[in-house]
Amino acid sequence: MTASSGKKAKDRPKSVRLINSMRRLFRMARAYRWAAALALALIFITGLLEGSVIPLFFGLTLYTLTGRLEAPGMSTDALRDMAARITKYIDTGSQSTFLLFAALFVLVYLVKCVAQGGQIYFSRFFAQRVIFALRERLHAHLIRLSSAFFSTQRTGDLMSRTTNDVNLLQTVVSTELVEAARSPVVALSSLGTMVWMNAKLTIIMLTVGPLVAYIISRGSKKMRSITHQAQS
């Protein structure tokens, strides 16, 4: 890389530099893209189960425990239709209905645990492959550098870049990116379930929720500022 190209890279926005860096990282482990694809698929399944399926079956289990499938303030037409399809050959409100929904809830939760375990395994496997390739390229690059370079650099800085920075990248690839992919799936599936069960209450929540979050955020920043001033 020339000095001019390096200067242009530094002039780019931070988000663009981050995306380009992640692309270079993923290109180092092209042979293990299957692991990344499996991890993404399991992330989607886990997020869908967490945000929609598990809450639905938990709710159905509680409703059948009381002998009815209604909840105050909740639009239960779709919920009742869903329960009717599942309990087509079982009397609604009976003990066998409750046991059926309880067993289905446990089964879905076990599927979610298995999917989450697979997602963690494949995402960390892929991250390990990426970091291994990065360490190899970093080691080869350091070997090719001249002795003049090492005479002008502090040993502690070089050790930090080759250990701490690489470990930080490993955390980003194996944890932060997984959470970034999972959270939208959970949020969208939860939102879809809320709209399906009670659209009006969902609209109220979406209207009031951001305002409450903004007030809490402003209050938290103010409290941190006051605490910082008191400590200084």
Side-chain angles (χ1 to χ4, degrees), residues 76-94:
T76 57
D77 293 339
L79 189 64
R80 194 181 297 110
D81 292 341
M82 177 182 177
R85 292 191 186 97
I86 298 175
T87 60
K88 186 175 181 180
Y89 303 104
I90 303 176
D91 294 333
T92 303
S94 64

Side-chain angles (χ1 to χ4, degrees), residues 29-106:
R30 287 180 178 177
Y32 302 96
R33 284 180 294 184
W34 59 269
L38 283 175
L40 286 175
L42 291 173
I43 287 171
F44 178 80
I45 294 173
T46 303
L48 187 62
L49 291 175
E50 286 184 1
S52 180
V53 180
I54 289 178
L56 278 176
F57 277 101
F58 182 71
L60 288 171
T61 303
L62 291 181
Y63 301 155
T64 53
L65 182 62
T66 62
R68 58 193 182 92
L69 291 174
E70 292 87 4
M74 183 179 295
S75 177
T76 57
D77 293 339
L79 189 64
R80 194 181 297 110
D81 292 341
M82 177 182 177
R85 292 191 186 97
I86 298 175
T87 60
K88 186 175 181 180
Y89 303 104
I90 303 176
D91 294 333
T92 303
S94 64
Q95 183 180 5
S96 56
T97 306
F98 166 72
L99 294 177
L100 172 64
F101 281 123
L104 287 174
F105 171 73
V106 173

Side-chain angles (χ1 to χ4, degrees), residues 43-44 46-48 50-52 181-192:
I43 287 171
F44 178 80
T46 303
L48 187 62
E50 286 184 1
S52 180
R182 188 187 69 87
S183 297
V185 177
V186 175
L188 291 176
S189 58
S190 299
L191 183 62

Side-chain angles (χ1 to χ4, degrees), residues 23-181:
R23 285 177 179 174
R24 289 196 296 270
L25 277 177
F26 291 142
R27 280 199 294 266
M28 294 179 187
R30 287 180 178 177
Y32 302 96
R33 284 180 294 184
W34 59 269
L38 283 175
L40 286 175
L42 291 173
I43 287 171
F44 178 80
I45 294 173
T46 303
L48 187 62
L49 291 175
E50 286 184 1
S52 180
V53 180
I54 289 178
L56 278 176
F57 277 101
F58 182 71
L60 288 171
T61 303
L62 291 181
Y63 301 155
T64 53
L65 182 62
T66 62
R68 58 193 182 92
L69 291 174
E70 292 87 4
M74 183 179 295
S75 177
T76 57
D77 293 339
L79 189 64
R80 194 181 297 110
D81 292 341
M82 177 182 177
R85 292 191 186 97
I86 298 175
T87 60
K88 186 175 181 180
Y89 303 104
I90 303 176
D91 294 333
T92 303
S94 64
Q95 183 180 5
S96 56
T97 306
F98 166 72
L99 294 177
L100 172 64
F101 281 123
L104 287 174
F105 171 73
V106 173
L107 178 62
V108 171
Y109 191 82
L110 289 176
V111 171
K112 177 255 180 184
C113 292
V114 173
Q116 189 173 26
Q119 165 248 301
I120 293 173
Y121 173 80
F122 286 113
S123 61
R124 292 187 177 178
F125 174 82
F126 179 74
Q128 291 285 350
R129 295 297 93 192
V130 170
I131 298 305
F132 179 76
L134 176 62
R135 290 185 188 276
E136 280 191 326
R137 292 187 60 176
L138 181 60
H139 179 264
H141 178 69
L142 289 173
I143 293 298
R144 290 194 300 267
L145 291 174
S146 63
S147 57
F149 171 80
F150 294 99
S151 64
T152 58
Q153 299 292 325
R154 292 185 298 181
T155 305
D157 291 342
L158 293 176
M159 293 181 62
S160 176
R161 292 173 185 174
T162 55
T163 55
N164 297 337
D165 291 358
V166 174
N167 290 336
L168 181 61
L169 282 174
Q170 182 176 354
T171 302
V172 170
V173 175
S174 63
T175 305
E176 302 299 334
L177 289 182
V178 170
E179 189 63 25

Side-chain angles (χ1 to χ4, degrees), residues 8-21:
K8 290 180 180 179
K10 291 182 179 180
D11 292 338
R12 294 174 182 173
K14 186 177 180 180
S15 58
V16 175
R17 296 201 305 269
L18 177 61
I19 293 174
N20 292 335
S21 299

